[in-house]
Amino acid sequence: MSKGNLPRWVDLGLIPVLNLMMAFAVAGLMVMLIGENPIKALLVMIDGAFVYPGSLGYTLYYATNFIFSGLAVAVAFHAKLFNIGGEGQAMIGGLGAALVCLGLDAYLPGIAIIPIAIVAAAAFGAAWAFLPGFLQATRGSHVVITTIMFNFIAAGVIVTLLTGPLLREGQSTPQTRDFADSATLPKIHEIARALGFDMASSPLNISIILALIACVGVWVLIWRTPFGYRLRTFGESEPAARYSGVGVTSIIIITMCISGALAGLMSINDVLGAQEKLQINFTSGFGFTGIAVALMGRSHPVGIILASLLFGALYQGGAELSFEFRSIDRDMVLVIQGLIILFSGALAYMLEAPLSRVFGRRASLQGEAA
Amino acid sequence: MADFWLDAMQIMASTLRLSTPLILCAMAGLFSERAGVVDIGLEGKLLMGAFAAAAAATLTGSPWAGLAAAIGAGVILSLIHAFACVTHRGDQIVSGIAINILASGLTIVMGIALFSQGGQSPPLQRDERFPPLDLPFTETLQNVPFLGDFLGTMLSGHNILVYAALLAVPLTGFVLFSTAFGLRLRAAGEAPEAVDSAGYSVAWLRYRAVIIAGVLCGIAGAYLSIAHGGGFVREMSAGKGYIALAALIFGKWQPVPTLFACLLFGALESSASRLSNVDMPLVGEIPVDVILIAPYVLTVVLLAGFFGKAIPPRALSIPYVKER
């Protein structure tokens, strides 16, 4: 990302913060144009995201989704692959988890079903990313285009199944029956209450722990394994990777499968944790939000956790907007998200030249001194 | 036989109506991508155009003002795209995604601010929309067998933007392949260094290509909300921008094959409703959703190289850095 003439803290700290501030400034301007007070809107969002009882749980619940979808995008990014298919991979992952629960919840105890369902979510997500990866690796079909197409195909598959074979009997809403209680993930407030603490209800469940484990796993995979080394080599330079004997085909396919598995895991937060059934559109665009999260978090697990918290707060705080204002509601969050992707992704280099003028010389002097 | 002919003409007419936004968006993508700029943002520009058209038509009472507003909205989003990817050499795909998400949020936010109807525009009156046009001679030829139905049912009675879309195809072909501007534009997407050494600005060529794309997407958006439809509904582009992108790849970045891909995808969409609950021989009832995902499946199959190879412009998605 950096051309190397900026100090590390500017590149990793200052630039993302400035990009974020520009996105918020433009969003604030739009709120003003609509005729509302942006400061008041921000306060309502902060209140709705952290202060209001139960709001923190919701914020963390959303953040769990974004950690998974952000990691999915980031892993592929390190190999210079752009997986826009998180949405479809999460849908199909949710299908995998749901099939396990629907098929087994009458026969097996929860302690057996839940791990199988989690593995199924990852496996189905990976399978949905396999073909785009395979086609990119062997046929050169661009993974961006194929993953977009696979998002729509996944949506078609889920609609067909949920209005047909998986439709709950006697219902017209496209959703499956509820899973048995034993086959669902415990919610954090239930655990807290069982331990004697009082806690407001929220859909936050133990998949957040799995998300944090996934962060550690991705860090180890990318920076501490031979595979991760090959993956990053490929991402830095495909010719260099080829000359050094890296199996490029398998790197692309395996990277896409890992990315798809992480996206697939996103589904357990909703399907096993919150709704306890498979519904249509349960991914609600969170797969796309992963792109913003990965860009903001500079594809590093720590950055992704921070960016996920920010987006979790935006989504939960944004939900409060419609209660307080007549003319702005949670769709404002989509605007902010679009602006964040624009400023910290597409316009990532915009600040580099002016900042190099401010910080670049000092850095080179330090370089000479060293 | 005559009934069958009339049926066929009705299906063709509905195919044409459903293909119109695809054709305009695909031609938009053709300009942009031939100049070397990926246009994932077709969907967002289409949606924004649809909103701007409905909003302006409602506020002014004129469909022409709606069309102008839609073109303006498409061009503004295009300029953001060009500023990010041409001026600042940002990632074209990231920029396109930003535009799509931005459009999806902004149309609703502005819709609520303007009309307080949950993001929709109020239903448009008759004179706020583009009316169907009857072609000359249709009445005189009404009773001529076959030709009468062909003219009356298939060709006539569409609104002006349908004809504009059909006209956009030869126009695109002419501009790209028979003018000096088109030659340079295509060169900017194939060999930008050659354009540069010939003394033309790659950036300015790409800007112009992206602006033309914005104009065409705007017209497509106006078609959705004030010609085909009677107002703006949230997310009314419903993936059409992505289907247009698929059609563009399917047509291998060539105007006429792209037109046929759009017509094919439009035909699939128009047959989806007709084929629902119909028992087909051999296969039984085909779920509507399966027909609707066919364009996406076909595109993946094409990209896999099973219908021949779709080779994109060589410099597509690569920002141009002038040699120093």
Side-chain angles (χ1 to χ4, degrees):
Chain A
M1 189 74 80
S2 147
K3 308 253 168 19
N5 58 354
L6 283 176
R8 212 173 136 75
W9 70 271
V10 174
D11 192 33
L12 293 179
L14 189 63
I15 288 188
V17 169
L18 287 178
N19 283 333
L20 190 64
M21 279 168 60
M22 284 195 290
F24 272 102
V26 175
L29 218 63
M30 283 170 181
V31 172
M32 269 166 74
L33 279 177
I34 289 169
E36 303 282 4
N37 182 345
I39 306 290
K40 191 180 160 209
L42 188 65
L43 292 177
V44 166
M45 286 176 81
I46 292 172
D47 185 60
F50 299 108
V51 184
Y52 191 78
S55 59
L56 188 62
Y58 273 92
T59 296
L60 292 175
Y61 162 74
Y62 285 121
T64 308
N65 285 323
F66 302 141
I67 291 177
F68 281 120
S69 61
L71 286 176
V73 176
V75 165
F77 258 166
H78 279 289
K80 282 279 179 344
L81 291 166
F82 204 159
N83 179 13
I84 326 194
E87 196 75 3
Q89 290 144 15
M91 279 182 213
I92 298 295
L95 175 67
L99 287 177
V100 168
C101 291
L102 293 172
L104 296 179
D105 66 358
Y107 311 105
L108 289 179
I111 196 103
I113 296 176
I114 288 171
I116 302 175
I118 291 173
V119 170
F124 273 57
W128 205 248
F130 167 78
L131 209 53
F134 177 79
L135 292 176
Q136 162 94 56
T138 60
R139 295 281 188 162
S141 3
H142 208 289
V143 93
V144 168
I145 306 291
T146 42
T147 49
I148 290 178
M149 301 298 147
F150 267 60
N151 283 340
F152 286 100
I153 299 171
V157 168
I158 297 289
V159 172
T160 308
L161 289 176
L162 285 183
T163 50
L166 292 181
L167 181 66
R168 177 185 178 181
E169 269 173 62
Q171 269 245 350
S172 55
T173 325
Q175 58 185 31
T176 65
R177 69 170 170 83
D178 293 350
F179 307 148
D181 273 344
S182 64
T184 59
L185 291 173
K187 297 205 170 60
I188 300 291
H189 69 258
E190 291 166 356
I191 298 173
R193 283 178 198 165
L195 294 175
F197 300 101
D198 191 37
M199 198 173 171
S201 300
S202 77
L204 180 67
N205 58 79
I206 58 169
S207 30
I208 191 167
I209 296 166
L210 196 72
L212 295 174
I213 295 172
C215 283
V216 177
V218 165
W219 181 78
V220 170
L221 177 86
I222 302 279
W223 282 280
R224 288 290 179 272
T225 63
F227 175 80
Y229 179 74
R230 288 200 290 273
L231 186 157
R232 282 181 295 133
T233 311
F234 171 72
E236 286 295 322
S237 162
E238 185 174 341
R242 279 189 199 278
Y243 285 129
S244 57
V246 170
V248 168
T249 310
S250 64
I251 288 281
I252 294 176
I253 296 175
I254 296 170
T255 305
M256 279 304 287
C257 287
I258 293 170
S259 177
L262 287 162
L265 283 174
M266 188 192 100
S267 67
I268 61 165
N269 189 32
D270 181 272
V271 175
L272 296 187
Q275 301 299 334
E276 305 176 351
K277 64 189 162 216
L278 185 66
Q279 286 178 312
I280 213 157
N281 290 340
F282 73 90
T283 52
S284 335
F286 298 154
F288 289 113
T289 311
I291 298 164
V293 169
L295 288 169
M296 277 255 12
R298 295 285 178 112
S299 299
H300 191 284
V302 174
I304 285 170
I305 292 173
L306 293 174
S308 297
L309 286 173
L310 171 77
F311 272 96
L314 277 177
Y315 268 78
Q316 171 53 22
E320 295 295 308
L321 286 175
S322 35
F323 298 114
E324 291 287 325
F325 293 93
R326 197 179 52 82
S327 58
I328 43 178
D329 77 343
R330 67 178 317 164
D331 292 294
M332 197 64 217
V333 176
L334 271 183
V335 176
I336 299 174
Q337 187 181 329
L339 290 169
I340 289 178
I341 296 180
L342 188 69
F343 282 109
S344 53
L347 288 169
Y349 303 115
M350 188 168 66
L351 290 178
E352 236 180 45
L355 284 177
S356 299
R357 252 170 267 143
V358 181
F359 296 104
R361 212 169 62 176
R362 193 155 46 137
S364 68
L365 283 176
Q366 278 170 357
E368 274 169 37
Chain B
M1 185 60 201
D3 275 355
F4 172 78
W5 176 252
L6 187 62
D7 264 359
M9 286 302 106
Q10 275 169 354
I11 292 172
M12 299 263 284
S14 116
T15 295
L16 192 58
R17 280 193 291 271
L18 290 169
S19 307
T20 296
L22 303 181
I23 297 169
L24 286 164
C25 281
M27 292 305 131
L30 193 61
F31 271 102
S32 175
E33 302 214 339
R34 277 288 187 154
V37 182
V38 178
D39 207 351
I40 304 265
L42 291 173
E43 176 81 5
K45 285 182 271 185
L46 177 65
L47 187 64
M48 195 62 120
F51 173 77
T58 305
L59 297 175
T60 64
S62 152
W64 293 102
L67 179 65
I71 291 174
V75 169
I76 289 172
L77 287 186
S78 285
L79 286 173
I80 294 175
H81 190 49
F83 179 70
C85 330
V86 180
T87 305
H88 286 288
R89 297 194 283 275
D91 191 297
Q92 299 174 358
I93 289 154
V94 173
S95 167
I97 292 170
I99 281 167
N100 289 343
I101 293 179
L102 209 54
S104 142
L106 268 181
T107 48
I108 301 171
V109 167
M110 295 195 299
I112 291 172
L114 279 175
F115 306 114
S116 318
Q117 293 188 5
Q120 296 194 357
S121 74
L124 292 170
Q125 304 300 314
R126 210 161 183 219
D127 54 350
E128 294 166 353
R129 302 177 51 194
F130 283 109
L133 297 177
D134 282 319
L135 295 183
F137 308 119
T138 40
E139 253 172 79
T140 31
L141 295 172
Q142 201 176 14
N143 294 320
V144 180
F146 297 115
L147 187 67
D149 289 334
F150 175 72
L151 272 178
T153 309
M154 152 85 199
L155 269 190
S156 181
H158 301 295
N159 62 68
I160 189 164
L161 298 184
V162 175
Y163 303 112
L166 288 177
L167 204 64
V169 180
L171 203 63
T172 302
F174 173 76
V175 170
L176 282 181
F177 297 97
S178 306
T179 66
F181 168 66
L183 176 72
R184 286 174 210 137
L185 189 151
R186 283 182 293 128
E190 292 288 342
E193 57 287 345
V195 177
D196 197 11
S197 48
Y200 298 103
S201 161
V202 175
W204 175 225
L205 275 166
R206 287 187 172 175
Y207 257 90
R208 279 179 286 176
V210 170
I211 289 169
I212 295 171
V215 171
L216 289 167
C217 283
I219 300 173
Y223 175 79
L224 278 190
S225 66
I226 63 172
H228 188 60
F232 179 82
V233 188
R234 52 164 75 198
E235 299 298 334
M236 80 181 302
S237 53
K240 285 191 172 61
Y242 292 111
I243 295 201
L245 193 68
L248 177 62
I249 297 163
F250 221 67
K252 301 181 182 175
W253 291 271
Q254 301 278 353
V256 174
T258 301
L259 166 71
F260 281 110
C262 291
L263 289 172
L264 170 70
F265 293 168
L268 285 169
E269 198 184 335
S270 82
S271 62
S273 51
R274 282 167 196 272
L275 288 180
S276 62
N277 306 319
V278 177
D279 239 0
M280 299 287 283
L282 297 176
V283 283
E285 200 179 302
I286 306 174
V288 177
D289 312 292
V290 173
I291 302 169
L292 288 179
I293 62 173
Y296 307 112
V297 176
L298 285 174
T299 306
V300 172
V301 173
L302 174 86
L303 283 167
F306 292 121
F307 301 160
K309 200 86 185 100
I311 300 166
R314 198 177 61 86
L316 188 62
S317 88
I318 304 166
Y320 180 68
V321 185
K322 204 174 162 87
E323 298 264 349
R324 295 202 179 110

